[in-house]
Amino acid sequence: MKLLISFIILLGLSSCSCSKEEKTYSASDMWKLAQKSEPNIELVPIPAGMEHKRVLCQNYGPGCVEGSGKRIKVKRVELITIQFETVEAARAEAQRLNQYHFANWLFDEVTEEPVLKYFVKKVFNAVNPNESSPQSEPPSASKE
């Protein structure tokens, strides 16, 4: 009987993952978090003839999610956001570019814009891997 109990406990322990999986966020999760804090944010449309303003994965590192790049206007300043497949890929790209990330999202062209820096830190607890230690827990997102 002791052998059977030991076997069941061992089986249960071996099925548990020892690595902590980091949470990823969808575009709609991110939009909800942003609007909760800043209701006047808006997506910036890219008009015909201005294709150079598009946010493309070819300009970013591995793990970039095609078609996820957006320009968002925050207090009259444009914020570039782009989704990555994993938290690690977003963190690595943020470190390479000396920019900010939250979970699996990169915020580009933030470091020289105080308004954007304040926004991404306040709303997402975003961090620049070149400036600080790993990020704290994210703000609560309502999953509606």
Side-chain angles (χ1 to χ4, degrees):
M1 186 65 165
K2 283 184 178 181
L3 185 61
L4 180 61
I5 292 172
S6 297
F7 178 73
I8 291 172
I9 290 172
L10 183 61
L11 185 63
L13 289 174
S14 66
S15 67
C16 295
S17 173
C18 294
S19 64
K20 180 184 172 190
E21 191 167 317
E22 296 180 274
K23 183 168 174 49
T24 59
Y25 289 79
S26 69
S28 62
D29 291 336
M30 295 294 283
W31 189 251
K32 286 176 190 174
L33 284 171
Q35 279 193 312
K36 186 184 226 180
S37 179
E38 184 61 48
N40 295 324
I41 65 167
E42 57 188 86
L43 285 174
V44 177
I46 307 299
M50 298 293 285
E51 283 75 22
H52 65 281
K53 299 278 281 175
R54 291 182 57 214
V55 182
L56 303 172
C57 279
Q58 68 190 34
N59 300 321
Y60 295 93
C64 177
V65 175
E66 287 292 335
S68 68
K70 303 287 184 260
R71 289 179 179 273
I72 298 169
K73 194 174 287 186
V74 177
K75 298 193 184 292
R76 295 184 284 182
V77 182
E78 284 187 22
L79 170 65
I80 294 174
T81 64
I82 194 151
Q83 184 179 13
F84 282 78
E85 293 170 357
T86 65
V87 174
E88 187 52 45
R91 184 182 300 119
E93 190 63 3
Q95 186 167 23
R96 184 182 77 82
L97 297 173
N98 192 29
Q99 293 297 327
Y100 286 78
H101 83 94
F102 163 71
N104 57 313
W105 287 82
L106 170 73
F107 303 108
D108 200 1
E109 299 182 5
V110 170
T111 55
E112 301 300 318
E113 289 291 347
V115 167
L116 298 181
K117 196 173 189 178
Y118 176 80
F119 177 77
V120 300
K121 284 179 160 185
K122 176 184 160 217
V123 175
F124 300 107
N125 294 329
V127 295
N128 180 328
N130 297 328
E131 294 178 355
S132 64
S133 60
Q135 68 197 36
S136 60
E137 283 298 306
S140 60
S142 59
K143 300 279 183 184
E144 298 168 6

